[in-house]
Amino acid sequence: MAGKPRLHYFNGRGRMESIRWLLAAAGIEFEEQFIETPEDLDKLRNDGSLMFQQVPMVEIDGMKLVQSRAILNYIATKYNLYGRDIKERALIDMYTEGMADLTEMIMHLPLCPPGEKDAKISLIKEKTTNRYLLAFEKVLKSHGQDYLVGNRLSKADILLVELLYSVEELDPSLLAKFPLLKVISHSSQGLRTRISNLPTVKKFLQPGSARKPPLDEKSLAEAKKIFRLP
Amino acid sequence: MFFLFHPSENPEPEVMAAKPKLYYFRGRGRMESIRWLLAAAGVEFEEEFLETREQYEKLQKDGRLLFGQVPLVEIDGMTLTQTRAILGYLAAKYNLYGKDLKETVRINMYTDGTQDLMTMIMLAAFKPPEEKEENIALIVTKAKTRYFPVFEKILKEHGEDFLVGNKFSWADIQLLEAILMVEELNASVLSDFPLLKAFKTRISNIPTIKKFLQPGSQRKPPPDSHYVKVVRNTLQF
């Protein structure tokens, strides 16, 4: 019988957090091996465990998977969170690629030089409301269903909920204009509330779960050390 | 060894009607991998080229760009954006995505890797000219130390003609595309990779790909200063 998936990354969100969300939402328990020093990363590289010398890496079903998208798509397919056919999959991918673009901007914010930070935050906020949340609100409005694609829970819904929490951490007021995404509206409950109430996700949102906090000064310094960034 | 590749027959009558239509600049950028995949699958496609800011704004106003961005591909009644979403759909549709989940995940890992390399090359065109040489050197180094060795090893370990499952897939198409792009920067980059050299020849000789590699096809040339100008002007950066 296969063991639990094992996640190799540093002790923070970065590119692994979406994978943690997806596994958690699918009800899959997983282990984590944290990279704490540059030597830890070197060891993984020298072992030949990292195909392109990079993390995230997830040991699952006898494989050492790298590339976060490949990993997410594997998990989504395995646990039926990827739509019923290739057209639904294309929509799910289109939505999650957009989410990944915004997440990337938010993820890189701590690395921004202090002088440029305010401008960057403004840009992110503007893109969040005028481009991304607007698009997802529009999708939900267009079909009036409870989930983004095919009237069924998928990778897209889970990653959107992750994104909504990140956006709220950045600025709670950004969600105000998007009732379908957040709050109870008319007869249908907001997507985030619905997903957050799923037992597996509810558990993941509680303290003591594998969910990681936003990057703070100390974690940022540690991560820079591990990845040998200036 | 003889090898025959037959582009996928598409059994659905509804999709025989319209050709896929691609909306992008007249150049490689993020659309080129999509052109490669369609061409390799033997699928004819149409293109509308963005040349002005006004054209781009019209697409946005028409509501066809979910996140306000191109590439855009109209196919099978869908208005698809986001490169990877489009590529994944095409790979699945034309049976270039492996026979099971384990093969698919390998194809995804390989294509994500080659895409990282090709994105570096794509972005290099937009960097300041004084950084150009240094950028190219970095890309070639990454190709020779991080990416090409991986694929050389894969081919060596199974001794098969294709990267995954002894069958032509999206992974092979994208690796060829990446190899040719890096060779444009440094012609001798494959000198230490004999299996990749043979792979390059083999895949280039697949009839649909051979056709795509000939002058007059829809393959786009490397970015020049005019292309960079049009993109900067249209996307305003």
Side-chain angles (χ1 to χ4, degrees), chain A residues 51 54 61 69 87 131, chain B residues 67 69 76 102 146 150:
Chain A
M51 184 177 288
Q54 297 164 317
D61 298 337
R69 283 172 174 89
K87 282 196 169 191
R131 173 173 283 185
Chain B
F67 302 111
Q69 297 165 316
D76 299 337
K102 287 210 167 187
R146 177 170 284 191
V150 172

Side-chain angles (χ1 to χ4, degrees), chain B residues 133-151:
Chain B
E133 236 177 85
E134 194 189 322
N135 257 323
I136 290 178
L138 180 65
I139 289 166
V140 173
T141 302
K142 280 248 143 80
K144 286 167 84 163
T145 58
R146 177 170 284 191
Y147 296 101
F148 291 170
V150 172
F151 298 112

Side-chain angles (χ1 to χ4, degrees), chain B:
Chain B
M1 276 217 104
F2 283 111
F3 157 76
L4 285 170
F5 171 67
H6 298 286
S8 249
E9 298 291 350
N10 195 323
E12 297 170 296
E14 84 200 55
V15 304
M16 306 279 272
K19 294 179 189 174
K21 190 167 184 185
L22 280 49
Y23 297 77
Y24 201 67
F25 309 103
R26 191 188 297 269
R28 290 180 180 177
R30 297 188 188 281
M31 187 63 97
E32 194 72 352
S33 295
I34 293 167
R35 297 182 184 108
W36 268 89
L37 190 46
L38 284 165
V43 178
E44 284 182 31
F45 56 94
E46 289 172 0
E47 299 196 77
E48 188 167 302
F49 297 115
L50 295 181
E51 267 139 10
T52 65
R53 173 93 191 149
E54 291 68 42
Q55 268 178 291
Y56 182 58
E57 284 175 346
K58 183 170 190 301
L59 272 181
Q60 289 176 315
K61 283 197 188 84
D62 284 349
R64 289 193 279 172
L65 307 180
L66 182 64
F67 302 111
Q69 297 165 316
V70 286
L72 164 66
V73 174
E74 291 175 333
I75 183 169
D76 299 337
M78 293 183 296
T79 308
L80 284 185
T81 56
Q82 291 292 345
T83 314
R84 283 181 179 89
I86 297 163
L87 288 167
Y89 178 76
L90 295 174
K93 182 176 177 178
Y94 298 111
N95 294 315
L96 294 164
Y97 219 169
K99 70 172 194 294
D100 56 31
L101 182 53
K102 287 210 167 187
E103 287 193 354
T104 300
V105 76
R106 282 167 58 202
I107 291 170
N108 275 332
M109 283 195 285
Y110 304 164
T111 54
D112 280 352
T114 47
Q115 186 149 90
D116 282 349
L117 180 58
M118 290 195 281
T119 298
M120 279 182 235
I121 299 174
M122 178 189 71
L123 294 174
F126 294 88
K127 297 256 162 81
E130 59 269 21
E131 289 176 23
K132 197 173 178 179
E133 236 177 85
E134 194 189 322
N135 257 323
I136 290 178
L138 180 65
I139 289 166
V140 173
T141 302
K142 280 248 143 80
K144 286 167 84 163
T145 58
R146 177 170 284 191
Y147 296 101
F148 291 170
V150 172
F151 298 112
E152 182 82 5
K153 184 168 170 221
I154 287 164
L155 291 171
K156 190 170 188 179
E157 281 177 350
H158 60 46
E160 292 163 7
D161 283 351
F162 308 104
L163 286 170
V164 179
N166 206 14
K167 186 173 172 236
F168 184 60
S169 78
W170 173 31
D172 303 300
I173 300 164
Q174 204 154 286
L175 178 55
L176 175 62
E177 184 191 358
I179 286 172
L180 295 179
M181 279 178 89
V182 180
E183 277 187 331
E184 282 168 351
L185 302 177
N186 180 324
S188 64
V189 73
L190 286 189
S191 55
D192 296 330
F193 305 103
L195 296 178
L196 287 183
K197 265 199 196 145
F199 173 87
K200 175 190 152 189
T201 305
R202 200 161 58 237
I203 307 301
S204 300
N205 280 322
I206 292 171
T208 48
I209 293 183
K210 194 170 190 168
K211 194 168 160 207
F212 189 61
L213 289 171
Q214 270 153 17
S217 81
Q218 284 162 296
R219 186 181 180 217
K220 300 296 173 282
D224 59 14
S225 55
H226 172 74
Y227 172 77
V228 170
K229 208 166 99 184
V230 170
V231 175
R232 277 192 189 280
N233 188 50
T234 307
L235 300 180
Q236 291 188 343
F237 72 96

Side-chain angles (χ1 to χ4, degrees), chain A residues 87-144:
Chain A
K87 282 196 169 191
E88 287 194 350
R89 216 163 69 183
L91 293 180
I92 290 167
D93 281 344
M94 182 165 58
Y95 302 160
T96 55
E97 285 296 305
M99 292 174 209
D101 285 348
L102 180 57
T103 299
E104 188 99 344
M105 284 183 235
I106 296 173
M107 194 193 325
H108 285 136
L109 203 49
L111 296 171
C112 199
E116 295 171 23
K117 211 160 187 180
D118 283 341
K120 214 44 193 281
I121 291 177
S122 292
L123 180 68
I124 290 174
K125 288 186 184 183
E126 191 263 320
K127 287 241 142 80
T128 300
T129 40
N130 298 339
R131 173 173 283 185
Y132 295 102
L133 296 191
L134 189 67
F136 299 124
E137 181 87 1
K138 206 170 119 182
V139 168
L140 287 173
K141 200 167 186 180
S142 74
H143 54 52

